[in-house]
Amino acid sequence: MEYQVSGYAQDLAVDVEEPPVTSIVPVEKSQCAPIQTEELPEPVKSGERITGANSQEITDLEVEIAKYKRVVQINDRNASAWDALGTLYKSAGLYKEAILAHQHAISIDSARTSYYHHLGLAFAGAGRDEDAISVFQKVIELEPDHYLAHATLGGYYRKLGLEELAQKHIGKAMRNIYDNESEYNRACLEAICGNVDQAIGLLRAALEKKQTYVEWIIHDPDLDFIREDSRFKETDLKL
């Protein structure tokens, strides 16, 4: 699932017992101690560290990353700026940096549900599935009707073969996403449900509207359900 930063990409109800939350927030060492600005990477050079994106996407991300790095250098306690910076790092495929930035946002403001959700997305992009699941469970603990977290958890549980539990979360997501969400998030839900053609059409629209970047489409676990389908492999999405 995805969300917006500065105009660019910023993720069947049954009574089934939820797996326990293994930790409130999977914590990198730096979460409890403020991150010093010198610990953050230098702005990326075109083509050097941002992979999987076209040249215009690289330029856009460089500009936005530099802007938000400047903001947090001026005010290290600006939680929303750290969160936005983490989102941009994620879109660039810099998942370690994204995780650190989102955790720093949480260390400043631990009451904001969206910061946990964005951290879960960064863990998902990094392939740290257990950490991602734990954080998305925390999101729902804080905000039971957070339908984007329900959708992503539904996908994870489906991968784990927990179909009844997956349907519980997918059902909650479906009641909200089609009325309230972007083409990209609708594409993710269609992918989780295995509806390949619908997902591809919505992904095209999402890219045209700059709701996401190619880099995130490559790594978003919500789309894993259609990656091996020949229709997805043969698309003109430049993946």
Side-chain angles (χ1 to χ4, degrees), residues 52-128:
N54 63 43
S55 59
Q56 184 58 50
E57 288 180 353
I58 292 170
T59 301
D60 292 341
L61 287 168
E62 286 177 342
V63 169
E64 293 294 301
I65 287 172
K67 179 171 71 176
Y68 280 97
K69 284 189 69 175
R70 177 61 177 160
V71 172
V72 298
Q73 285 169 353
I74 294 170
N75 180 7
D76 184 60
R77 303 297 295 171
N78 187 329
S80 63
W82 279 106
D83 181 66
L85 181 60
T87 295
L88 292 162
Y89 280 140
K90 176 185 69 64
S91 294
L94 303 175
Y95 299 113
K96 178 180 178 180
E97 292 87 344
I99 289 166
L100 290 173
H102 288 310
Q103 288 177 329
H104 193 54
I106 290 170
S107 75
I108 298 167
D109 182 359
S110 62
R112 188 70 65 88
T113 305
S114 61
Y115 295 170
Y116 291 91
H117 180 240
H118 303 164
L119 174 62
L121 293 174
F123 277 131
R128 294 172 57 174

Side-chain angles (χ1 to χ4, degrees), residues 2-239:
E2 193 61 282
Y3 56 101
Q4 297 291 321
V5 170
S6 298
Y8 295 103
Q10 304 226 45
D11 246 11
L12 300 171
V14 288
D15 293 323
V16 182
E17 184 177 354
E18 199 77 19
V21 178
T22 55
S23 63
I24 291 180
V25 183
V27 182
E28 297 290 336
K29 185 175 181 181
S30 61
Q31 181 177 335
C32 296
I35 299 173
Q36 301 301 314
T37 54
E38 60 266 27
E39 292 179 46
L40 294 171
E42 292 300 313
V44 291
K45 296 179 181 179
S46 181
E48 180 179 53
R49 297 180 62 194
I50 298 180
T51 59
N54 63 43
S55 59
Q56 184 58 50
E57 288 180 353
I58 292 170
T59 301
D60 292 341
L61 287 168
E62 286 177 342
V63 169
E64 293 294 301
I65 287 172
K67 179 171 71 176
Y68 280 97
K69 284 189 69 175
R70 177 61 177 160
V71 172
V72 298
Q73 285 169 353
I74 294 170
N75 180 7
D76 184 60
R77 303 297 295 171
N78 187 329
S80 63
W82 279 106
D83 181 66
L85 181 60
T87 295
L88 292 162
Y89 280 140
K90 176 185 69 64
S91 294
L94 303 175
Y95 299 113
K96 178 180 178 180
E97 292 87 344
I99 289 166
L100 290 173
H102 288 310
Q103 288 177 329
H104 193 54
I106 290 170
S107 75
I108 298 167
D109 182 359
S110 62
R112 188 70 65 88
T113 305
S114 61
Y115 295 170
Y116 291 91
H117 180 240
H118 303 164
L119 174 62
L121 293 174
F123 277 131
R128 294 172 57 174
D129 293 346
E130 290 184 5
D131 290 333
I133 290 170
S134 181
V135 175
F136 289 127
Q137 288 174 340
K138 175 63 178 179
V139 171
I140 291 173
E141 176 187 315
L142 293 171
E143 188 178 325
D145 293 327
H146 197 292
Y147 47 89
L148 296 180
H150 279 296
T152 301
L153 273 177
Y156 273 121
Y157 291 145
R158 177 160 281 177
K159 290 178 188 177
L160 293 171
L162 303 172
E163 189 61 29
E164 188 177 8
L165 190 55
Q167 287 299 321
K168 167 189 171 183
H169 289 285
I170 291 170
K172 289 182 178 180
M174 289 181 70
R175 288 197 293 270
N176 292 280
I177 284 181
Y178 277 91
D179 293 332
N180 302 298
E181 276 302 320
S182 65
E183 284 84 356
Y184 185 76
N185 287 340
R186 287 156 53 200
C188 289
L189 185 57
E190 293 287 6
I192 290 169
C193 294
N195 300 325
V196 182
D197 292 329
Q198 293 92 325
I200 291 172
L202 288 165
L203 284 174
R204 287 199 180 98
L207 284 170
E208 289 174 2
K209 295 181 179 181
K210 291 191 175 181
Q211 293 173 356
T212 191
Y213 288 101
V214 168
E215 174 65 32
W216 181 237
I217 292 177
I218 293 170
H219 290 92
D220 190 340
D222 292 339
L223 301 177
D224 289 349
F225 296 90
I226 65 172
R227 290 193 197 284
E228 299 306 313
D229 190 283
S230 59
R231 289 167 290 178
F232 184 77
K233 290 182 174 180
E234 295 168 4
T235 62
D236 56 355
L237 295 176
K238 301 179 181 179
L239 302 182

